[in-house]
Amino acid sequence: MGFLLLPLYFLSLLLIVFSAAVHGANSSASSMTPIPRDLYHSSGALLNEIEALASRHPDVLTMEKMRADNKGYAAEIVVITYNHVKKQTNNKSKFRILLSFGQHGRELITSEVALHLLSVLAKEQKMLSMQPTSFNKILENIVIKVVPMENLNGRKLVEGGELCERRNGRGVDLNRNWSVDWGKKEKVSSLDYDPYEENPGIAPFSEPEAQIMRKLAKSFEPHIWVNVHSGMEALFMPYDHKNSTPNGLTSRLMRYLAHGTTTDYMYDIAKVPMAFTFEIYGDLSASSKDCFKMFNPVDKVTFNRVLNKWVATFLMLFEMVPSRLHSIHLAVSSVKLVPIGGNVVDGSLIGDSRESKKIEGLELGMQELRTYFRLFLLSSVLLMFMFCSRISKSKCRPACPNLAI
């Protein structure tokens, strides 16, 4: 009898441990905020609504689907082009803007902003602060390409219950799959770096989504690139992979480094003059395990505020940039650039390798002007952003969580 009591005792202990584990798992699951279906479209519904929007406004909106595959994995990306005056076939004469939303599956709010922006561009939604005549004038000289959901396959995983998933359908972080500084990893012990979340893939551009976006950028040749994310409220410019800006100034607030990012490629390789990453929302009070709440607003008031605020910010960007670019062109034409290693005397160059040095000086001057313009543009948008959202000083401190972008 004594021999039977011992196994029964251990069996009862095992049942207690198992019950505690199940209770803990259920408790953890219940602490995660589900997707509020009354606020957010499913991926299919959102893309269908965008397609219907384009079909209702063929005079200004066109839709195309770009596909690619690699080793049995396929991806499709919807691209919407806004062109206010389609009769002008030469889009190269216009100012070109490329916007990407939904690169990470869990950031649903970004795709909702894309839909709202397209609705405003098509004039189905109105911005109270914008007069119709002013609105039309802003848009007549620009062409905008919008990728509303770059990572459809990853988004479907989130909708299936994997609310913390940021990667694509085969586990690769699309914002680490680009060639600039690809594959470099921060120390695993660093709180900023998660090798599981930030899997860069087996090689640069191994992922069909990244291949499609590279092809789009090369063919469109945008003047502005904006990669829209959520998880915090911030605006970033290159570089992501080193702690400096393109002209070498130290970025003291940038404590988190990311390698193989889209924005660094757009600036360094695609030569997009102005490349930015916008982080449009983040709940700093949310638990790190409550991913949906951390990356997306969960109440209607905040949801609508984010949509309206960021659509207004994009419209301001559309208004400001073409005129500023014209000013930069005027400045370039009036500046006498002194080539490195030579001296200018009465307009003539003294020194060897005159042509190469002229080019070197021109490139340096253009780089400096471009950098100063980008800094000016970023600071202007930042001021607008801070004014609209009334961010407290505590949320602008460098102590904000270092979330992977």
Side-chain angles (χ1 to χ4, degrees):
M1 189 69 177
F3 289 101
L4 281 174
L5 287 175
L6 191 61
L8 287 173
Y9 171 74
F10 280 111
L11 181 60
S12 61
L13 278 178
L14 186 62
L15 288 172
I16 291 171
V17 171
F18 177 75
S19 299
V22 171
H23 176 75
N26 290 337
S27 176
S28 176
S30 64
S31 67
M32 295 184 67
T33 304
I35 300 173
R37 301 292 180 176
D38 59 325
L39 293 179
Y40 291 88
H41 296 79
S42 67
S43 55
L46 188 139
L47 293 176
N48 286 340
E49 191 160 334
I50 287 175
E51 184 173 5
L53 184 70
S55 67
R56 291 195 299 272
H57 301 278
D59 54 326
V60 292
L61 296 178
T62 55
M63 175 178 167
E64 62 178 315
K65 295 180 180 180
M66 302 180 70
R67 298 177 178 88
D69 63 85
N70 182 25
K71 297 182 178 180
Y73 175 75
E76 179 180 273
I77 291 179
V78 169
V79 183
I80 300 292
T81 301
Y82 174 86
N83 192 345
H84 183 66
V85 185
K86 281 193 173 181
K87 293 180 181 179
Q88 185 174 352
T89 57
N90 183 16
N91 288 339
K92 296 298 182 182
S93 65
K94 292 188 174 186
F95 197 85
R96 300 178 298 280
I97 300 170
L98 179 57
L99 310 175
S100 178
F101 304 80
Q103 188 179 49
H104 289 148
R106 63 193 177 191
E107 300 167 10
L108 276 68
I109 185 60
T110 64
S111 294
E112 297 291 341
V113 171
L115 173 59
H116 194 62
L117 174 62
L118 290 170
S119 298
V120 170
L121 292 175
K123 298 182 182 178
E124 288 197 3
Q125 300 280 346
K126 293 183 179 179
M127 295 299 296
L128 296 178
S129 60
M130 188 74 62
Q131 296 296 325
T133 53
S134 174
F135 184 78
N136 291 335
K137 190 169 182 63
I138 289 170
L139 298 174
E140 64 186 14
N141 292 316
I142 63 177
V143 178
I144 307 163
K145 284 190 180 290
V146 176
V147 175
M149 195 178 298
E150 183 181 328
N151 183 8
L152 174 59
N153 293 336
R155 167 69 178 264
K156 288 179 178 179
L157 292 176
V158 174
E159 293 172 347
E162 300 179 39
L163 297 177
C164 290
E165 186 60 78
R166 67 186 253 137
R167 305 169 304 166
N168 73 347
R170 63 175 173 188
V172 175
D173 185 345
L174 297 178
N175 205 26
R176 300 294 183 271
N177 192 233
W178 295 69
S179 60
V180 175
D181 213 41
W182 175 87
K184 183 177 178 181
K185 297 176 174 62
E186 295 297 309
K187 294 179 181 179
V188 177
S189 59
S190 171
L191 294 176
D192 299 335
Y193 174 66
D194 184 337
Y196 175 80
E197 281 203 340
E198 299 180 54
N199 174 20
I202 60 173
F205 303 108
S206 62
E207 303 313 295
E209 296 94 340
Q211 295 169 15
I212 292 170
M213 293 303 298
R214 176 179 60 176
K215 181 179 179 180
L216 179 60
K218 285 184 175 181
S219 62
F220 187 49
E221 297 180 344
H223 298 95
I224 281 189
W225 155 262
V226 182
N227 196 5
V228 185
H229 286 270
S230 65
M232 64 178 82
E233 292 181 314
L235 305 175
F236 295 102
M237 60 183 286
Y239 291 106
D240 293 329
H241 71 280
K242 55 185 176 181
N243 200 23
S244 64
T245 54
N247 66 346
L249 296 175
T250 300
S251 180
R252 298 185 183 276
L253 298 182
M254 196 68 172
R255 304 190 318 185
Y256 174 82
L257 300 181
H259 309 276
T261 68
T262 314
T263 295
D264 279 2
Y265 176 92
M266 291 294 183
Y267 181 79
D268 256 5
I269 307 301
K271 303 300 180 185
V272 178
M274 290 154 283
F276 303 108
T277 299
F278 285 6
E279 292 274 352
I280 65 171
Y281 176 82
D283 186 343
L284 303 181
S285 66
S287 165
S288 60
K289 295 180 180 180
D290 192 358
C291 290
F292 191 86
K293 187 177 181 183
M294 178 181 290
F295 289 91
N296 306 277
V298 295
D299 65 89
K300 188 173 183 178
V301 172
T302 308
F303 178 86
N304 289 332
R305 177 178 59 80
V306 172
L307 296 189
N308 292 327
K309 178 179 69 176
W310 283 99
V311 167
T313 301
F314 279 116
L315 293 178
M316 186 196 72
L317 194 70
F318 302 159
E319 178 181 17
M320 186 170 62
V321 169
S323 61
R324 298 297 179 188
L325 185 68
H326 179 67
S327 300
I328 292 296
H329 283 162
L330 291 177
V332 169
S333 63
S334 63
V335 169
K336 181 181 288 185
L337 297 172
V338 180
I340 297 173
N343 298 307
V344 173
V345 179
D346 295 330
S348 61
L349 175 68
I350 301 175
D352 298 327
S353 305
R354 296 183 181 183
E355 290 303 315
S356 64
K357 288 177 180 178
K358 286 179 181 179
I359 294 172
E360 186 178 9
L362 178 62
E363 288 180 347
L364 177 64
M366 286 299 295
Q367 180 181 349
E368 291 298 313
L369 284 171
R370 185 170 66 173
T371 299
Y372 290 137
F373 177 48
R374 291 170 63 254
L375 287 169
F376 171 80
L377 180 64
L378 186 65
S379 62
S380 299
V381 176
L382 181 60
L383 286 172
M384 175 70 175
F385 166 72
M386 293 179 68
F387 174 77
C388 289
S389 58
R390 298 180 181 178
I391 300 175
S392 65
K393 291 183 179 180
S394 63
K395 288 189 179 180
C396 296
R397 294 196 309 255
C400 288
N402 295 316
L403 296 173
I405 58 176

